[in-house]
Amino acid sequence: MAHRAAQQPQQPQQQRRYDRQLRIWGDAGQSALRAASLCAISATAAAAEAIKNLVLPAIGALTLVDGTDLRQLPPTAHFFLSSPQRPHNRAHALVAALHALNSDVRTSFIPHHAHEFIDSVSAAYAFVLRFSLVLVADMPASHTLVRFLSQAAFRANVPLVLLRCHGMIGYLRVQAPTLCVLNARQDDLPPDLCIHAPFSHLQALADATDLNAISDTTQLTHVPFVIILTKALQLFRAQNDQKLPASPQQNKLFENIVRSLRPSHCPADALNFEEALKRSNLRLCYSQVNHIPPSVQAVLSHPNADPRTSTAFSVQLESPNHHHVFPQIVHYTKPRPAAHRIAEQQARFWLIAAAVNMFVNEAGRLPVRGSLPDMTADTESYLNLQRIYSEKAHKDAKRVLHFVHAIVDERGLDLDVDDALVISFCTNVHAIRVHSTSSISDELDDWNVDAFKEAAMLEGGLDPSGTGKASPYYPILRAVDLFHRANGRYPGSDTVVKDNDIALMHGYVATVKEQLGLQSNTGLWRHETEEMVRYANTELHNVAAFMGGIAAQEITKILTQQFVPLDNTLIVNMAEQSSITFAA
Amino acid sequence: MFNKLCERVYDQRRAMSAEVPGSIPGGRMQAPVVKWYDISLPRRHSSVLFTFFVAFIDSLRLMFKCDRVPFYHLRVVKLHGVVSFFIMQLEEAVRDDVAEWRAGGPAWGGLDHLLRNAGPLSTDLNPEAADATQTFLRQHCKILIIGAGGLGCELLKDVALSGFRHINVIDLDTIDVSNLNRQFLFTEADIGKSKAHVAAQYINSRIPGCRVVPHHANIMSFDAQFYQQFNIVIAGLDSVEARRWLNAMLVSLVQFNPDGSVDRSSVIPLIDGGTEGFQGQARIIYPRFTSCFECTLSLFPPQQNYPFCTIANTPRLPEHCIEYAHVILWDKLKPFGDVKLNMDNAEHTKWLYETAKARSEHFGIQGVTLRLTQGVAKNIIPAVASTNAIVAAACANEALKMISAIAANMDNYMMYNGKSGVYTYTYKNEKKPDCPVCGTPQPKTFQVSPKDSLAEFLEQIAIDPDIRSKKPFLRSSTGKTIYASTSPLREATQSNLKKKLGELITSGTELTLADKDLPFIRTLIINYK
């Protein structure tokens, strides 16, 4: 389990090897990555690049599915498959090459095409349950396999990532019904200093500090600004009906109070008073009273975070209703059972979120995070302040933990939650997020036309003039899929009938434009459509490497439950280098 | 269109297409081959003759005590005639490689397909020159990759798989275990070896026909003549100083026509990539035409230093304790004698960690860990395979587009941020008219107090966003040396550091600033407040 593994210090050699990435996602992120099991379907260049970027940082396990016999393929410029002694199966050959990159990763492969054994939604369901995440490369979204996988993965809450490259164009789609983020790591959030509602120890410390009584100017210029602002706000409230400054005029008034607190024997340019003034615009200093950021509120008011009615505290997945026989997985390295699944991590996430909900109901605010930014202060007063914040945070986390146990007992849950996970949840409570995406299968029939139009408009993609835009290629890819479904090949892939393909593609693009209500703009996306036919099904290494890199980064974010994942479609145009994202 | 600026590249491609329309060039290509072939030979063509040839080159290498034996050296030793026979053999080998990517041939299908099929947005592409472009790319185009680290490993793979064959790589580093999470050309067995050599060998063994020439050296140890031989330079560096130097070197190579216009054939494009965590950027610098690295120096803010009085008197954070041990205690206590702190030395790191830890315990500060100690003292930039792959691919893609015209280049800077969703933004960085490297620099005026000491003024120019001089040499317009940070004048001017500016110079004095790490000389005007 991720949180338990996080408690065990890693081997020094591992620490050194992974040092540069541990500085990005920490030990907890690394443990989550180590616990994950990835399945990649189709070992194309882009998929190989994505997997390479996950094997290097040591994802736990990898299963590659590809039935291609390399002897049937022309010799291509594939970095990992160029060894003459390579095995004949593409998945086998790639797994062998990747194993050489990092033997910490458990690798296995299935030397068959996925569509040969995933022939229904229920088969796909039984299959995806074995993995933390499934990556599908270079397959049209309309392919029946993608449809089966999409529906199954959506039901099983296994994230699904679709990756495609056509010439200079890259496409990435993330599908996940719910993604829980433990730490969005957005560094632009204001610190949580509770100046607006000082807890007892902070108030006591402020009360005990009499600025005028400090005769030593060195000491006076090292009183932390937090104390100065706490005192100033108390004065302001006493004069203003216990209210906080709410208008620009009142802010001015408040600033004057801050200024007036500086004793006459204190130098005018004392840094601590400057800091206090700079932060006296309270919005920069702390969030409003009992304010819960919308992204956190979205988690707390999610039905899954309801302490009484939530059904998300246990992994309740229906078992596959048929017994499906899959080709045997060939283990390249020794297998270890029990792939850790996102659903298991999420049960804990929702349980703690429900406990935080109970805490908020009781205290009227989020738990104190307990971190203190650096500020002008002497060592002793800073450490003293730091101690009272961290004690308060600890006390709040203990209360949340109490609620966790209360829910577990009341609901009779069979779920153990580590204290450290609860504490780290509370420390980052401002940065928790929940995301959900639409299903790829639904997108095929009914897509988010408005979201696309908005993103395309921003980029200038609805304007027929100009070049280097990415947004036109989303409708064009939809047209490519229509073409593929009708003809069984990609437009432009047969150069003899290229002109005919162009004409057909203009027709398909017109169909998509109709869905967007843009049919009257006949010149729109003509050039891009012809470019797409030119690109045909070519896979350029640099495009594959770029998209493989982004896919790996998105998968890392999902598996470590850190940073903010892509919502949910990315289109990249590597001619003139542009991109757009939107929620399809 | 930006593409059209790349005349150096285009002229050569056009020359190719005029000379050899649709055919594979023969022996007439000898001249450039002599200039370009280095000692790294395609291993799969190792006939007896080649074995002999390699042995011959190796002996020359010993003789010249260098890694790389350019053929002008061979001319010097009057062996040119002997060599040309072997070059014929090399050509033979190249022809085998060519056959693989020719039209109709299976390999390299993606690029060849795009070269032979123009589209409405690939306006610079001439499909009839497809063979010539392939020939140019694989036989004549010479690309230099700077750095064989996180970006470098990716770049080498990317350009090799794009079809570049003559690749040089410079890196002065050796392989460390902490590289292995992203620098995929290295394994545990390579720890301690030269990055450039191991990377070059790996690529040469994997990509048929690829000839990567490694240089285990500092970029500053190569002269203009060395850089001039390349058609494109891609830099994957982590140091701002090295990029400033490289940028100035490539700008300095630009020649002017008698009428004052830029001689486009002398312009070598620089593609520069950088990463930090989940963020990165890629840009094209086309010297004298686009903004250069120095024009946009402010994009790279100087490293934040903790104020001395904080780390000495009022430490609050674990970083303060580490910095005190690093900056003050190392020099004061000299735990290993009179040696510089080396964070790659395990003993040094251990001492620093323990000293910082002891200091933090003395103050009751928590959080000094080995990881943090290394991070602070070494200024470690977080790095991961995926971001390197993304930025390197964007750089290599621009290089390939420049050579092949299969699509338009970006203009001219792309930033990437993967922290929240996926965000890329490509925009045009503007030239700075008074850029000290590629523009007409104006004297920089400093308003200072005559009571400031010279040391304080030096701190100011060290962090000044335009200048950032850390090893200054200052001379006044009257010819008096105010300060020199290097010997022998250092000793003579050391005493000036404590003096007040008012004692040293009058208001309005013009100072000439030189710095051995900076590629330019600036004029500073000192005005007293």
Side-chain angles (χ1 to χ4, degrees):
Chain A
M1 295 303 127
H3 63 283
R4 239 181 278 151
Q7 301 311 302
Q8 299 160 359
Q10 291 172 31
Q11 299 297 311
Q13 182 70 12
Q14 304 285 306
Q15 287 272 359
R16 291 219 300 277
R17 180 172 181 137
Y18 302 114
D19 178 83
R20 297 304 184 266
Q21 70 200 42
L22 290 172
R23 289 170 195 276
I24 301 175
W25 54 68
D27 294 323
Q30 186 69 13
S31 298
L33 192 64
R34 294 293 295 138
S37 170
L38 172 81
C39 173
I41 293 175
S42 185
T44 62
E49 286 294 321
I51 299 164
K52 178 206 82 187
N53 297 324
L54 291 162
V55 165
L56 286 168
I59 190 170
L62 164 73
T63 303
L64 210 53
V65 183
D66 197 320
T68 312
D69 187 330
L70 288 165
R71 288 168 299 184
Q72 312 294 318
L73 284 184
T76 45
H78 198 308
F79 196 74
F80 295 108
L81 302 181
S82 57
S83 159
Q85 291 90 27
R86 66 184 182 197
H88 297 312
N89 174 266
R90 188 156 77 168
H92 187 183
L94 188 57
V95 159
L98 292 172
H99 179 71
L101 287 184
N102 191 351
S103 55
D104 291 346
V105 180
R106 299 187 306 283
T107 43
S108 58
F109 63 93
I110 301 176
H112 298 275
H113 291 298
H115 62 81
E116 289 169 7
F117 57 92
I118 300 176
D119 50 5
S120 65
V121 177
S122 86
Y125 184 78
F127 185 73
V128 299
L129 275 182
R130 304 169 169 200
F131 304 102
S132 320
L133 190 145
V134 178
L135 167 72
V136 181
D138 287 310
M139 223 167 267
S142 58
H143 196 290
T144 47
L145 177 69
V146 176
R147 232 179 231 273
F148 295 151
L149 283 170
S150 162
Q151 289 173 19
F154 205 80
R155 214 167 79 202
N157 200 8
V158 173
L160 179 71
V161 174
L162 227 56
L163 172 63
R164 295 169 72 178
C165 299
H166 293 263
M168 287 283 156
I169 305 305
Y171 165 89
L172 186 73
R173 168 71 149 92
V174 174
Q175 171 195 295
T178 45
L179 278 178
C180 301
V181 179
L182 281 169
N183 187 353
R185 291 193 184 265
Q186 304 300 298
D187 356 281
D188 48 356
L189 294 163
D192 166 34
L193 296 172
C194 308
I195 294 168
H196 59 285
F199 45 90
S200 52
H201 283 89
L202 177 60
Q203 188 62 58
L205 187 64
D207 290 345
T209 312
D210 183 354
L211 293 167
N212 287 309
I214 304 173
S215 53
D216 177 19
T217 50
T218 315
Q219 207 188 334
L220 191 55
T221 53
H222 284 84
V223 174
F225 82 86
V226 174
I227 302 290
I228 300 171
L229 279 187
T230 308
K231 291 182 88 68
L233 201 59
Q234 200 180 358
L235 280 171
F236 180 91
R237 281 178 147 161
Q239 294 165 13
N240 292 279
D241 222 7
Q242 292 305 313
K243 291 211 171 72
L244 287 170
S247 64
Q249 292 87 340
Q250 287 187 320
N251 263 340
K252 276 265 171 292
L253 218 61
F254 179 61
E255 270 178 37
N256 287 336
I257 294 180
V258 174
R259 273 194 203 95
S260 71
L261 281 179
R262 185 169 56 81
S264 52
H265 61 284
C266 177
D269 57 353
L271 285 174
N272 54 340
F273 280 91
E274 270 179 27
E275 281 171 10
L277 266 181
K278 214 187 295 170
R279 307 223 185 194
S280 63
N281 183 345
L282 294 169
R283 266 166 313 173
L284 298 179
C285 172
Y286 62 85
S287 34
Q288 291 152 299
V289 183
N290 304 341
H291 171 75
I292 296 174
S295 51
V296 178
Q297 190 58 57
V299 176
L300 298 183
S301 46
H302 195 285
N304 285 353
D306 188 302
R308 272 171 299 279
T309 59
S310 169
T311 53
F313 303 152
S314 53
V315 184
Q316 290 183 329
L317 289 169
E318 34 185 316
S319 343
N321 38 8
H322 300 289
H323 182 67
H324 291 278
V325 183
F326 297 125
Q328 206 188 346
I329 294 185
V330 186
H331 290 282
Y332 196 79
T333 53
K334 204 166 164 242
R336 210 169 63 196
H340 158 96
R341 274 184 292 113
I342 300 282
E344 290 164 12
Q345 291 176 329
Q346 290 189 349
R348 289 190 178 78
F349 180 94
W350 289 117
L351 176 62
I352 305 171
V356 169
N357 243 340
M358 293 173 80
F359 180 93
V360 172
N361 279 339
E362 184 184 77
R365 58 169 173 83
L366 287 174
V368 169
R369 276 146 54 195
S371 54
L372 190 65
D374 192 24
M375 61 191 71
T376 302
D378 55 82
T379 306
E380 202 190 326
S381 35
Y382 181 82
L383 292 181
N384 198 19
L385 200 58
Q386 195 178 46
R387 187 177 47 78
I388 68 163
Y389 275 100
S390 95
E391 278 173 7
K392 177 67 184 164
H394 194 72
K395 204 174 142 207
D396 284 0
K398 276 267 178 250
R399 190 72 190 148
V400 173
L401 192 62
H402 165 82
F403 288 127
V404 167
H405 293 314
I407 299 171
V408 168
D409 290 347
E410 197 188 311
R411 304 278 302 264
L413 300 174
D414 181 24
L415 190 67
D416 57 322
V417 178
D418 203 274
D419 292 10
L421 181 68
V422 176
I423 291 169
S424 101
F425 191 99
C426 294
T427 314
N428 297 310
V429 72
H430 63 299
I432 58 171
R433 298 268 194 288
V434 62
H435 282 265
S436 39
T437 74
S438 61
S439 114
I440 294 168
S441 172
D442 290 350
E443 179 195 343
L444 290 173
D445 313 313
D446 179 20
W447 53 297
N448 194 340
V449 169
D450 295 335
F452 168 76
K453 276 173 97 169
E454 196 187 321
M457 185 102 75
L458 269 173
E459 200 210 11
L462 301 183
D463 175 358
S465 65
T467 60
K469 286 171 282 200
S471 51
Y473 290 96
Y474 177 78
I476 291 170
L477 275 172
R478 288 189 75 96
V480 165
D481 289 352
L482 293 173
F483 184 102
H484 191 273
R485 210 176 330 171
N487 300 283
R489 64 175 181 85
Y490 285 107
S493 57
D494 185 346
T495 43
V496 181
V497 291
K498 189 179 158 194
D499 290 342
N500 193 38
D501 284 3
I502 291 177
L504 281 172
M505 272 296 286
H506 281 313
Y508 287 122
V509 171
T511 311
V512 181
K513 271 157 77 171
E514 234 165 87
Q515 297 168 6
L516 287 159
L518 295 168
Q519 60 273 34
S520 58
N521 196 340
T522 46
L524 187 65
W525 306 334
R526 276 197 88 78
H527 285 164
E528 286 86 355
T529 305
E530 286 170 32
E531 277 296 317
M532 186 51 108
V533 177
R534 171 185 173 230
Y535 294 154
N537 53 346
T538 55
E539 195 177 34
L540 292 170
H541 174 76
N542 295 323
V543 181
F546 190 87
M547 295 309 296
I550 295 182
Q553 199 157 94
E554 284 309 311
I555 292 171
T556 310
K557 284 168 14 181
I558 293 169
L559 295 178
T560 58
Q561 294 186 284
Q562 292 186 27
F563 299 93
V564 181
L566 169 70
D567 184 22
N568 53 34
T569 300
L570 167 75
I571 307 285
V572 175
N573 178 3
M574 292 202 57
E576 298 183 54
Q577 193 66 49
S578 58
S579 76
I580 63 146
T581 63
F582 75 101
Chain B
M1 199 82 67
F2 187 78
N3 253 333
K4 291 190 178 126
L5 292 174
C6 303
E7 297 260 331
R8 181 186 165 90
V9 168
Y10 273 109
D11 282 350
Q12 296 184 26
R13 206 173 63 218
R14 264 185 231 118
M16 288 288 121
S17 63
E19 281 174 33
V20 283
S23 71
I24 303 305
R28 58 198 293 196
M29 286 300 155
Q30 263 188 21
V33 172
V34 170
K35 191 176 159 206
W36 284 331
Y37 277 94
D38 281 325
I39 53 164
S40 175
L41 298 172
R43 297 281 174 223
R44 68 196 187 117
H45 299 289
S46 47
S47 63
V48 179
L49 279 173
F50 265 86
T51 317
F52 176 66
F53 183 69
V54 172
F56 166 68
I57 295 290
D58 277 347
S59 61
L60 282 177
R61 196 166 68 177
L62 279 175
M63 217 160 85
F64 289 107
K65 292 191 178 56
C66 66
D67 289 342
R68 177 178 161 276
V69 184
F71 275 85
Y72 55 81
H73 278 181
L74 299 184
R75 285 205 199 95
V76 173
V77 292
K78 296 194 194 310
L79 285 170
H80 187 52
V82 182
V83 170
S84 53
F85 171 72
F86 290 103
I87 285 167
M88 298 276 283
Q89 301 292 313
L90 264 175
E91 294 253 310
E92 203 73 43
V94 171
R95 264 195 289 271
D96 288 355
D97 184 27
V98 169
E100 281 186 11
W101 47 259
R102 286 207 61 189
W108 321 107
L111 176 62
D112 211 70
H113 178 87
L114 295 188
L115 278 172
R116 283 168 209 287
N117 290 277
L121 300 178
S122 58
T123 44
D124 287 340
L125 182 70
N126 173 11
E128 283 170 16
D131 282 321
T133 302
Q134 288 277 28
T135 308
F136 175 67
L137 175 64
R138 286 160 209 280
Q139 288 196 4
H140 303 290
C141 184
K142 234 182 148 183
I143 191 162
L144 173 64
I145 307 293
I146 303 202
L151 282 171
C153 283
E154 287 286 335
L155 283 168
L156 284 167
K157 172 205 69 177
D158 291 344
V159 297
L161 287 181
S162 296
F164 290 90
R165 287 293 166 266
H166 296 286
I167 306 165
N168 277 232
V169 59
I170 307 177
D171 199 311
L172 57 72
D173 241 358
T174 53
I175 297 156
D176 180 76
V177 64
S178 66
N179 301 145
L180 302 182
N181 81 324
R182 60 197 189 284
Q183 299 174 18
F184 70 101
L185 301 178
F186 313 138
T187 63
E188 270 163 48
D190 299 321
I191 290 170
K193 294 182 191 162
S194 150
K195 283 188 178 177
H197 280 106
V198 175
Q201 200 182 355
Y202 194 117
I203 298 280
N204 288 341
S205 71
R206 279 294 172 113
I207 313 283
C210 208
R211 288 169 289 276
V212 183
V213 180
H215 307 276
H216 182 79
N218 189 321
I219 55 164
M220 299 184 199
S221 60
F222 296 93
D223 57 7
Q225 197 185 8
F226 172 82
Y227 288 100
Q228 229 152 15
Q229 64 182 313
F230 297 101
N231 297 82
I232 297 180
V233 178
I234 310 185
L237 288 161
D238 55 5
S239 123
V240 171
E241 284 70 33
R243 282 150 128 168
R244 287 175 90 178
W245 187 90
L246 177 71
N247 173 66
M249 167 56 86
L250 293 181
V251 173
S252 77
L253 295 180
V254 176
Q255 309 277 315
F256 292 88
N257 294 317
D259 66 355
S261 63
V262 171
D263 172 5
R264 293 189 163 192
S265 70
S266 68
V267 175
I268 300 172
L270 168 63
I271 303 171
D272 178 63
T275 73
E276 176 169 0
F278 281 169
Q279 294 165 288
Q281 92 281 331
R283 70 189 293 186
I284 299 175
I285 293 170
Y286 195 75
R288 298 276 175 196
F289 286 92
T290 66
S291 70
C292 77
F293 189 79
E294 200 73 27
C295 291
T296 54
L297 188 63
S298 55
L299 291 172
F300 298 86
Q303 195 193 333
Q304 182 210 333
N305 288 323
Y306 299 103
F308 175 78
C309 60
T310 297
I311 64 168
N313 304 325
T314 59
R316 297 176 293 268
L317 306 180
E319 288 88 345
H320 296 157
C321 302
I322 296 165
E323 196 64 359
Y324 187 76
H326 177 212
V327 179
I328 311 291
L329 292 177
W330 179 270
D331 288 338
K332 201 165 135 191
L333 301 178
K334 295 195 193 306
F336 297 91
D338 210 359
V339 289
K340 269 182 93 170
L341 176 66
N342 175 9
M343 285 302 287
D344 293 328
N345 179 322
E347 289 293 305
H348 290 196
T349 310
K350 186 164 172 270
W351 180 88
L352 194 69
Y353 166 57
E354 284 169 358
T355 310
K357 180 102 182 136
R359 185 170 166 82
S360 72
E361 279 162 6
H362 171 75
F363 284 101
I365 296 168
Q366 288 179 355
V368 173
T369 60
L370 185 61
R371 192 185 293 169
L372 187 70
T373 307
Q374 289 168 323
V376 172
K378 245 179 132 174
N379 186 28
I380 291 177
I381 300 164
V384 64
S386 54
T387 318
N388 283 315
I390 295 162
V391 169
C395 292
N397 189 46
E398 294 307 320
L400 179 62
K401 289 189 288 184
M402 258 180 213
I403 297 300
S404 66
I406 51 170
N409 280 105
M410 67 174 179
D411 187 13
N412 50 35
Y413 187 104
M414 183 218 30
M415 57 163 288
Y416 170 83
N417 191 343
K419 286 169 83 176
S420 182
V422 177
Y423 178 75
T424 77
Y425 180 53
T426 304
Y427 68 98
K428 186 175 180 173
N429 248 327
E430 297 294 342
K431 265 179 83 120
K432 203 169 125 186
D434 60 347
C435 168
V437 168
C438 76
T440 320
Q442 303 299 316
K444 168 118 188 167
T445 306
F446 282 85
Q447 295 286 345
V448 292
S449 157
K451 287 184 200 151
D452 287 354
S453 68
L454 178 64
E456 282 171 312
F457 178 65
L458 294 185
E459 269 175 41
Q460 206 178 333
I461 59 172
I463 58 162
D464 183 278
D466 289 342
I467 296 181
R468 291 200 216 164
S469 164
K470 288 186 185 132
K471 293 176 185 158
F473 180 95
L474 283 172
R475 182 180 293 222
S476 78
S477 45
T478 56
K480 181 167 123 190
T481 301
I482 307 293
Y483 183 71
S485 57
T486 47
S487 296
L489 281 170
R490 181 184 172 155
E491 287 70 31
T493 54
Q494 189 81 10
S495 59
N496 286 353
L497 282 176
K498 287 195 184 116
K499 287 189 189 157
K500 294 193 168 35
L501 285 177
E503 299 171 37
L504 292 165
I505 44 179
T506 55
S507 189
T509 304
E510 272 193 16
L511 292 179
T512 307
L513 166 76
D515 185 316
K516 82 176 184 54
D517 286 348
L518 294 188
F520 51 79
I521 289 171
R522 287 294 302 260
T523 304
L524 316 179
I525 299 174
I526 310 299
N527 282 339
Y528 291 141
K529 285 180 197 164

